[in-house]
């Protein structure tokens, strides 16, 4: 065969080259997501808390003033708090999970409007905007919570028992709930300014029906069962389980909270993915 090929003047065969594996598309997308999210995160930190050195101090003072006000008002009407001996700790364990949810939800709701200019770049997507605001807001609220609760426990005799696992479960549930509800509200409020006004009106009285100012068990039936449809009630109950050894909180169901958040998150992402470009034109 070789003599026949040589006789016919056939060119010698070239050796096979080693094929260099191409970068995996998934890894490339992940790196792009991390870079865009990191850039938005740095921008968010600079614009939200970098304008003034007192920005973080203000973020800490705001919940502290709310806790002090509620403690003073209710201490005048009640001899002792519904749990423990400290009015401040009781209302702090109710106010902070609500605040974590509310802050995350409000930041996620306004993500597209806040990052509108950067979203015009092809490498930046709405997912980057949502993740950046979620990460920064959740971490900020955890820091504020740790500082205020730490000072409160050390400065007063609260007679409480700290359970880190229960507390972290409450914080995580509050943050994830804020992400899910915020993603859905982001899509709907961007599509219609009327929904944004409606949503703000709905959220105003939410603190009064979420167990922040009272114990869930103190509410008579059938209203107690109705309140359990509010996922924030479960988050507040979970947080109080982490500080009060005697509090059982049998009604707390974090599975319901996560399912509620997941349904809202998936629905919001589907709407954003389908109508994202149309929504950007309406901003």
């Amino acid at each position: 065969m070789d003599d026949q090929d040589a006789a016919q003047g056939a060119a010698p065969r070239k050796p096979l080259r080693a094929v260099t594996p191409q970068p995996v598309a998934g890894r490339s997308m992940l790196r792009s997501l991390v870079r865009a999210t990191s850039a938005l995160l740095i921008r968010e930190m600079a614009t939200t808390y970098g304008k003034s050195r007192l920005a973080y101090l203000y973020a800490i003072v705001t919940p502290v003033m709310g806790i002090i006000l509620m403690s003073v008002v209710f201490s005048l009407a009640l001899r002792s708090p519904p749990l423990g001996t400290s009015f401040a700790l009781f209302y702090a364990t109710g106010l902070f999970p609500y605040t974590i949810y509310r802050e995350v939800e409000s930041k996620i709701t306004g993500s597209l409007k806040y990052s509108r200019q950067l979203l015009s770049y092809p490498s930046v997507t709405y997912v980057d905007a949502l993740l950046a605001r979620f990460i920064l807001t959740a971490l900020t609220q955890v820091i504020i919570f740790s500082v205020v609760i730490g000072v409160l426990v050390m400065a007063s005799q609260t007679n409480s028992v700290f359970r880190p696992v229960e507390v972290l479960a409450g914080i995580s549930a509050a943050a994830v709930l804020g992400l899910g509800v915020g993603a859905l509200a982001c899509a709907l409020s961007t599509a219609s300014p009327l929904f944004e006004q409606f949503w703000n009106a709905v959220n105003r009285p939410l603190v009064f029906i979420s167990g922040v100012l009272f114990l869930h068990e103190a509410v008579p039936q059938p209203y107690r069962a109705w309140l359990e449809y509010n996922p924030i009630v479960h988050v507040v109950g979970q947080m109080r389980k982490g500080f009060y050894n005697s509090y059982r909180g049998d009604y707390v169901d974090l599975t319901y909270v996560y399912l509620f958040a997941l349904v809202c998150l998936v629905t919001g992402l589907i709407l954003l993915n389908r109508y994202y470009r149309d929504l950007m034109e309406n901003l």
Side-chain angles (χ1 to χ4, degrees), residues 105 108-109 130 178-190 195 199 260-261 263-269 271-272:
E105 179 271 323
I108 296 297
T109 300
L130 296 180
L179 174 63
V181 176
L184 179 58
C186 177
L188 297 178
S189 63
T190 306
F195 177 83
W199 187 242
F260 188 95
V263 171
C264 292
L265 178 61
V266 171
T267 305
L269 292 179
L271 293 175
L272 288 172

Side-chain angles (χ1 to χ4, degrees), residues 25-277:
R27 294 180 181 177
S28 178
M29 293 177 61
L30 180 61
R31 286 196 296 268
S32 177
L33 176 64
V34 172
R35 286 196 299 266
T37 303
S38 301
L40 288 172
L41 183 60
I42 295 173
R43 173 180 177 268
E44 180 80 17
M45 293 177 63
T47 55
T48 304
Y49 300 103
K51 294 181 180 180
S52 173
R53 296 179 180 179
L54 299 178
Y56 265 104
L57 180 61
Y58 176 78
I60 295 175
V61 169
T62 301
V64 170
M65 294 303 296
I67 293 170
I68 293 176
L69 178 61
M70 287 189 295
S71 299
V72 171
V73 171
F74 284 92
S75 63
L76 296 175
L78 303 174
R79 293 183 178 180
S80 61
L83 285 175
T85 59
S86 172
F87 280 95
L89 182 63
F90 176 78
Y91 294 117
T93 54
L95 182 62
F96 269 110
Y98 171 80
T99 302
I100 293 172
Y101 155 77
R102 190 71 181 93
E103 286 294 320
V104 172
E105 179 271 323
S106 62
K107 291 291 186 180
I108 296 297
T109 300
S111 295
L112 296 189
K113 293 182 179 180
Y114 181 81
S115 304
R116 178 185 178 184
Q117 296 179 348
L118 293 178
L119 290 173
S120 60
Y121 294 96
S123 58
V124 181
T125 66
Y126 63 89
V127 177
D128 303 320
L130 296 180
L131 284 178
R133 302 206 95 184
F134 171 72
I135 293 172
L136 179 60
T137 306
L139 289 178
T140 301
Q141 292 302 313
V142 169
I143 293 173
I144 296 173
F145 169 80
S146 303
V147 171
V148 175
I149 291 294
V151 172
L152 183 62
V153 171
M154 291 187 296
S156 60
Q157 296 180 354
T158 58
N159 297 327
S160 62
V161 178
F162 180 71
R163 298 177 177 177
V165 176
E166 301 286 352
V167 173
L168 288 176
I171 293 174
S172 302
V176 172
L177 180 63
L179 174 63
V181 176
L184 179 58
C186 177
L188 297 178
S189 63
T190 306
S192 173
L194 294 177
F195 177 83
E196 185 174 3
Q197 298 177 7
F198 165 78
W199 187 242
N200 291 332
V202 169
N203 277 288
R204 288 192 187 99
L206 198 59
V207 65
F208 300 107
I209 59 172
S210 299
V212 175
L213 307 177
F214 55 86
L215 280 181
H216 174 71
E217 290 82 356
V219 179
Q221 294 288 8
Y223 308 107
R224 185 192 310 173
W226 296 352
L227 287 178
E228 292 179 9
Y229 287 103
N230 179 0
I232 306 177
V233 171
H234 300 267
V235 175
V236 172
Q238 176 64 35
M239 182 65 73
R240 285 183 171 144
K241 286 173 62 178
F243 285 91
Y244 296 99
N245 190 35
S246 60
Y247 188 63
R248 298 178 59 183
D250 296 332
Y251 65 94
V252 174
D253 186 2
L254 292 187
T255 301
Y256 168 71
V257 176
Y258 282 112
L259 286 176
F260 188 95
L262 181 62
V263 171
C264 292
L265 178 61
V266 171
T267 305
L269 292 179
I270 291 175
L271 293 175
L272 288 172
N273 185 64
R274 184 170 183 178
Y275 302 107
Y276 167 60
R277 293 301 174 186

